[in-house]
Amino acid sequence: MDAKLSLRELQTAFLAALYDGTVPGPVSSIAGNGLAPGARLRIYRRSCNEIQTAALRTSYPAVLALVGEDWFDQAARRYRGLYPSRSGNLQQFGVHFADYLQTIPAGRTLPYLADVARLEWLRQETVLAADSQALAFDDFMAGLDGAGESLRIGLHACVHFLSSRYQVLAIWRFAMDPQGDLSLNDEGENVMLWRENDEVAMAAVDAATFTYVTALAAGMSLKEAGVDAATLDAGFDSAQCMNELIGRHLVTRVLPYAVTKKRPKS
């Protein structure tokens, strides 16, 4: 070990060299053992890049399919330089990838690309969400009898939402299985994701349904959520929507007391 460098300084210099090929790194502190220290460092750098790029490929298969391997790998290299992993667990490594894609030229030629990435990240969060016991219909009715329309509910942690200006779910499905022609219109999509039978389920839902369920997720009461949905669709059936949520085991608890109202980010 170089006596001029503390352990922390040595580790910091080594980490910087892993993410930036122009950084020489602490080569004087690396034992060559038959291989030049600089060459040994390049092996580590290449291995680190390949492992982290593979992690992004796993998280974003539709993005990969849309842009191709060469473009994706170049974007991955630039991304890892901007957002180096701070953990040995790479499950969260791609958390900023969608925002990164929105800042680069592909955003002009493929404006929907960042939202496709956001959808894929929500798929991962849906898979990794902690499990919990679903609320039985009788327990929901008991809570409703006690609190009426002021009742609030808790949704399963696997439920996620994405509102996009683009038909992001249709694009994702085509990217994953490009059968036939993809016909898109100028309308966006509101997508709901959840876990069902240990698989990720996704559905594009109408604006009233999306408003109702996201309002419930934000802590609004059944009445408040229903009023919001009815402003978009006077015929919206909140009871049917609630029955579907319970039937899909996505309601986990009743919350009869007021909580802070805060809409989730889309």
Side-chain angles (χ1 to χ4, degrees):
M1 181 181 298
D2 193 329
K4 296 180 180 180
L5 294 177
S6 67
L7 177 60
R8 181 179 180 84
E9 290 171 334
L10 182 64
Q11 291 172 333
T12 300
F14 182 75
L15 184 63
L18 286 184
Y19 285 93
D20 187 346
T22 65
V23 175
V27 290
S28 62
S29 300
I30 298 176
N33 293 332
L35 188 65
R40 192 172 293 280
L41 181 58
R42 287 193 293 274
I43 291 173
Y44 277 104
R45 183 185 296 126
R46 187 181 307 113
S47 177
C48 181
N49 178 69
E50 290 176 353
I51 291 171
Q52 293 180 350
T53 297
L56 291 176
R57 284 175 171 231
T58 299
S59 296
Y60 297 100
V63 173
L64 173 61
L66 289 169
V67 301
E69 292 184 1
D70 290 344
W71 190 97
F72 187 94
D73 289 355
Q74 290 178 15
R77 283 194 293 271
R78 292 192 293 268
Y79 172 79
R80 64 186 292 271
L82 292 171
Y83 300 98
S85 175
R86 303 299 183 186
S87 169
N89 185 341
L90 291 179
Q91 286 180 338
Q92 291 298 311
F93 176 56
V95 65
H96 302 292
F97 196 58
D99 292 338
Y100 165 72
L101 291 177
Q102 201 160 11
T103 68
I104 59 180
R108 294 191 290 270
T109 56
L110 298 176
Y112 50 79
L113 191 63
D115 275 3
V116 173
R118 291 187 177 97
L119 182 65
E120 297 207 280
W121 189 253
L122 289 178
R123 285 178 56 84
Q124 178 162 305
E125 291 194 334
T126 298
V127 169
L128 297 176
D131 206 357
S132 55
Q133 183 66 38
L135 188 73
F137 184 77
D138 288 346
D139 293 331
F140 169 77
M141 292 303 297
L144 188 61
D145 288 342
E149 289 293 297
S150 66
L151 183 73
R152 292 166 168 79
I153 67 166
L155 292 178
H156 197 291
C158 73
V159 179
H160 292 93
F161 310 94
L162 178 65
S163 182
S164 175
R165 294 170 52 197
Y166 310 100
Q167 290 179 278
V168 64
L169 180 56
I171 295 169
W172 181 88
R173 286 173 171 161
F174 181 80
M176 298 304 292
D177 185 20
Q179 301 293 325
D181 296 324
L182 177 63
S183 179
L184 301 174
N185 55 43
D186 294 332
E187 298 179 0
E189 277 184 332
N190 296 314
V191 183
M192 181 173 167
L193 305 89
W194 67 96
R195 199 165 59 223
E196 190 169 289
N197 299 323
D198 297 324
E199 299 288 341
V200 176
M202 301 188 293
V205 299
D206 61 86
T209 298
F210 190 80
T211 295
Y212 182 71
V213 182
T214 55
L216 293 175
M220 298 180 72
S221 69
L222 301 185
K223 180 178 181 180
E224 292 167 328
V227 169
D228 278 4
T231 62
L232 299 173
D233 179 3
F236 177 73
D237 190 336
S238 59
Q240 178 181 345
C241 185
M242 180 57 64
N243 284 339
E244 289 189 21
L245 291 174
I246 296 172
R248 294 185 182 277
H249 311 293
L250 300 181
V251 179
T252 58
R253 61 195 184 279
V254 293
L255 305 166
Y257 303 106
V259 297
T260 301
K261 299 175 186 177
K262 182 180 179 182
R263 290 191 180 279
K265 294 180 180 179
S266 297

